[in-house]
Structures are given as structure tokens and as C-alpha cells.
Amino acid sequence: MTIAILDPFSGIAGDMLLGALVDVGLDTDWLQALPHRLGLDGVSVRIERVRRAGIASVKVDFEIPPQPHGRHIGEMRALVAHAELPSRVRERADAAFMGIATAEGAIHGVPPDKVHLHEVGAVDAILDVVGGIWGMETLGVDAIYCAPVTLGDGTVEAAHGTLPVPAPATLKLLEGIPVRPGPEGAGELVTPTGAALVRVLSSGAPPARYVPLRSGYGAGTRDPRGRPNVLRVVVADAASAADWRAESIERLSCEIDDMPAEYLAAAADRLRSTGALDVLLLPVMMKKGRPGTRLEVLCDPADAESLLAQIFRETTSIGVRRERLERLALPRHVESVQVLEHRVRVKAVRLPGGAWRAKPEADDVLEVSRSTGRSFRDVFGMASAAGERMLTSRVEDGVQSSPTT
């Protein structure tokens, strides 16, 4: 799987993203033709190689004939809706402009459809948003991640006066996204357009491991001394890293030979219901040839103390081993399908290489089997097939599922 990692160590703006995409291989002829594709005739594109604090980078500028100072959100959405764009590009671009309008509306106390976009409503911002999103698609990027966004400091002059950095709408767009202030004296490093692009493109923090394939730098307009005013984009192969993720878990284990089996089974069930990720009961041979049972509890480190106390309360163990482990887990989440007019939950697991596997929840399958009189095997097969069809159709349509634990 090909991924892209945004590294906004010196902020992000739309033109910086376009420059970085050109630097990692985006066809310049494609970018030159973008204004015409969007029906923005008379607009030309200037692409040049520059240096920012010694780093070779690409600067992209749009030369635009006289335009209205700003546009309303309806104009932005109509332009995107009528352009010949891939469906996911259209959806993300529309979401970016709606995000900007919603943030501006929240700051000024007006509905989003009444917002008159100033700086972000200009033609160059339309090109930045659509170009950045479409450019990623053109490069064949499957998923995009973003490192913490450096905000800058000080104040910025806007249409409504002097505003703190980050500007209120920019900060609103970045809610829920990791950021960091500074560096001192940097001024504004993140534009509303840049923040909106991060919001609609990023799937979260970069994976812990990946294989860099190429990197590029997109230049901002300013060239301050001692700080490269550039955005870095890394194109990487995540086939051996992002197919699974490393998680820290703890294992609590002990051996028990003096507790009735049914009571030990009940204690294991209660551990599962109170937060354990998994509970195993394994037959073991203890000293002097006595048969016993090893209790193993896998849990989140945050739950270890409470589960440890529960083991001591509800079993006869007087000593428990505690270990920190690394677990490699495939991305998975829970969907639901209809089987014989009943809802069945299905665990969707993404396999290495991008394929998905669907496994119905046994409790739901048993309930449908009891309600309909059909065999467990029949219901299980129908639910599995329905889950596979649903996941296959999403992959073919380019819809990304959100893995969870």
C-alpha cells in the first residue's frame, strides 16, 4: 500500500502542498492543465525550483486575472459539483470548503451558507484545494497521514483586523489534530486552506514503521533566515508496516490447582466482561504430578491493576506474573449485515495486501438460528457471504473503512 506522510514542521498552505507533490513526481503538465479542467480560463500556473534556507524545493503560483475579492460557499460547492472530478476528489474538496465555511461561521456567528469567504474564497485557494486532493489521487496514494502541525506565533492581518496566530478559523479547523506552537518569531505558518486540507486528507498520525520511497519539499512564499519555510511530503510503502500495528499489552498469569473448575470458569468469564482483551485457561502439570490450570489474562496496560486485583479476589491464586508484551494486530472493525431479516454483527479484518475478511459474531448467528429454525452453518455462511460482498463493494468503490480495535 502506498501512503503519503505530511510533515508540516514549518506549517502548511495549499501552494506548499502542491509544490511538494510536484517534487515527489506529480506531472507538471497535469498541474498546468488544472485551471482549464475546472473552468477557470485565463489562469496560468508558474512552477519553479527555489531554495528555502538551503533546501531545494518547488514553488507553485497561480497567475490570476482580476477576480471578485471573495466568494460564497455556494459558488465553491457549485464549481466542485460541476467539474469533471473523480468522486472521492469531489467529496473531499466539497468537505474542505464546507469545513472552512463552518469554521468561519462558528467564529462570526452566522450559518455556513451565509459566510463570504475572503482569502480562502479566491481562485488560487480553489486550485490549491482541488489540486492538492486530486494530486494525491493522481500519484496513486492510498492513505495520507500527518505529523504534528507547527502553527507559528504572533498575529496576522486579516479582513476583520489583527488576529492571533493561528487565526480563529484556522484553529477551529485543526480541532482534534495534534499541533505545536512556534517557533518564536515565525508569524503565521498555517493558512485556513492548509488546515482544511489536513482535516480532509489525514487519517491520523503516521504509522510507527514504513519504507520511504521518495520525499519532496513545497516552498512557501517567505524565505526567513535560518528556517526552511517548506512542507515535506514523504511517499512510502506501508505494505510491511501499516498492514498491522504494534500495540502494548500486558499478560497476567498464574497456575491454580485448588479451585473447582466451574468456579474458575466463572472467574474467567467475569474477567472477560470487566475489560480483559482475552482470557485463557490452559491445562498444566504442576509439582508432585498434580493437574492444574494456567490462567492467562491479556489486557490493556491501563486495566492491568484492576484486573490483577480481581484475580486475587476471585481465584485462589496467591501470586501472579505480570509481563509487558507487544502485540501485532490487524486493523479491524465491526459492521452489520441483514440475514433472514435479522441483524448480524460481522467483524471486518483487513489482511496484509489490502483484502478484507468477514467473520460473523457467534452470538448473533445462534440467535438467528434459533429464531428462524435454520442451521447454525447456514446462517454463518449467509452472514459471511453478505459481509464479504459488502467489503468487496467498498474496496471497488474506493471507500476507506476506519479500522478500530
Side-chain angles (χ1 to χ4, degrees):
M1 184 173 72
T2 300
I3 66 172
I5 298 170
L6 306 178
D7 185 8
F9 66 90
S10 192
I12 182 170
D15 60 338
M16 296 168 76
L17 177 59
L18 286 176
L21 294 181
V22 170
D23 208 25
V24 294
L26 183 64
D27 184 20
T28 56
D29 290 338
W30 180 90
L31 186 55
Q32 295 280 2
L34 180 61
H36 179 70
R37 288 194 183 96
L38 295 176
L40 299 172
D41 295 328
V43 178
S44 60
V45 185
R46 186 174 71 252
I47 303 171
E48 58 182 332
R49 296 278 173 178
V50 300
R51 290 183 181 274
R52 293 290 184 263
I55 292 183
S57 50
V58 175
K59 183 72 175 77
V60 174
D61 288 298
F62 297 107
E63 297 179 346
I64 303 169
Q67 299 285 320
H69 174 61
R71 299 177 181 227
H72 284 88
I73 185 61
E75 296 178 68
M76 306 289 100
R77 302 185 71 191
L79 187 149
V80 169
H82 293 99
E84 294 185 4
L85 306 174
S87 59
R88 189 161 69 157
V89 173
R90 180 180 294 107
E91 291 167 4
R92 283 180 163 178
D94 184 72
F97 286 114
M98 274 302 298
I100 293 169
T102 301
E104 291 278 2
I107 297 302
H108 300 299
V110 298
D113 59 354
K114 300 297 184 182
V115 170
H116 183 78
L117 303 180
H118 297 284
E119 296 85 359
V120 295
V123 171
D124 59 346
I126 298 171
L127 292 163
D128 286 343
V129 168
V130 176
I133 296 169
W134 200 356
M136 286 288 190
E137 294 278 326
T138 302
L139 287 171
V141 172
D142 299 304
I144 302 161
Y145 303 92
C146 189
V149 180
T150 302
L151 299 174
D153 72 347
T155 60
V156 61
E157 296 300 321
H160 298 285
T162 302
L163 299 175
V165 170
T170 301
L171 186 60
K172 194 77 176 172
L173 284 162
L174 292 172
E175 288 180 354
I177 296 171
V179 300
R180 56 191 176 198
E184 185 177 351
E188 183 184 37
L189 296 184
V190 182
T191 66
T193 304
L197 284 166
V198 169
R199 187 157 203 88
V200 299
L201 288 176
S202 176
S203 298
R209 293 186 294 273
Y210 55 88
V211 181
L213 301 177
R214 55 191 184 276
S215 58
Y217 298 84
T221 301
R222 292 179 292 156
D223 186 14
R225 182 184 295 273
R227 177 177 58 81
N229 185 28
V230 296
L231 169 72
R232 178 164 61 184
V233 169
V234 180
V235 176
D237 179 7
S240 61
D243 284 342
W244 53 79
R245 64 173 180 269
E247 303 172 337
S248 290
I249 62 171
E250 292 203 12
R251 178 167 61 193
L252 309 175
S253 60
C254 60
E255 284 75 41
I256 298 172
D257 65 356
D258 57 350
M259 186 173 179
E262 58 268 32
Y263 297 152
L264 182 55
D269 285 341
R270 185 168 297 186
L271 287 164
R272 293 187 188 99
S273 67
T274 53
L277 299 173
D278 205 353
V279 180
L280 303 177
L281 296 174
L282 307 171
V284 295
M285 189 65 69
M286 302 181 66
K287 62 185 179 181
K288 299 182 180 180
R290 294 196 306 269
T293 302
R294 176 176 296 161
L295 171 67
E296 289 194 359
V297 177
L298 300 180
C299 63
D300 186 284
D303 298 327
E305 292 289 340
S306 62
L307 292 172
L308 179 60
Q310 189 172 331
I311 291 172
F312 283 131
R313 285 196 307 269
E314 302 196 7
T315 76
T316 56
S317 175
I318 58 174
V320 176
R321 294 180 296 278
R322 181 174 179 177
E323 306 165 84
R324 179 67 64 95
L325 304 175
E326 180 183 64
R327 179 174 72 168
L328 302 177
L330 293 171
R332 68 269 193 198
H333 64 281
V334 176
E335 299 274 4
S336 64
V337 296
Q338 289 293 317
V339 176
L340 301 175
E341 300 183 355
H342 290 264
R343 174 179 172 272
V344 176
R345 290 169 296 167
V346 175
K347 181 179 288 184
V349 178
R350 192 175 70 205
L351 304 175
W356 287 84
R357 179 177 64 210
K359 180 181 182 298
E361 291 290 343
D363 288 346
D364 291 356
V365 172
L366 287 171
E367 180 61 33
V368 175
S369 177
R370 283 193 292 264
S371 299
T372 62
R374 299 290 292 269
S375 70
F376 178 89
R377 175 180 289 184
D378 285 348
V379 177
F380 185 91
M382 287 185 282
S384 297
E388 295 287 354
R389 286 195 301 271
M390 174 184 62
L391 294 170
T392 299
S393 67
R394 289 188 177 184
V395 171
E396 291 174 348
D397 293 340
V399 176
Q400 297 294 313
S401 296
S402 300
T404 69
T405 55

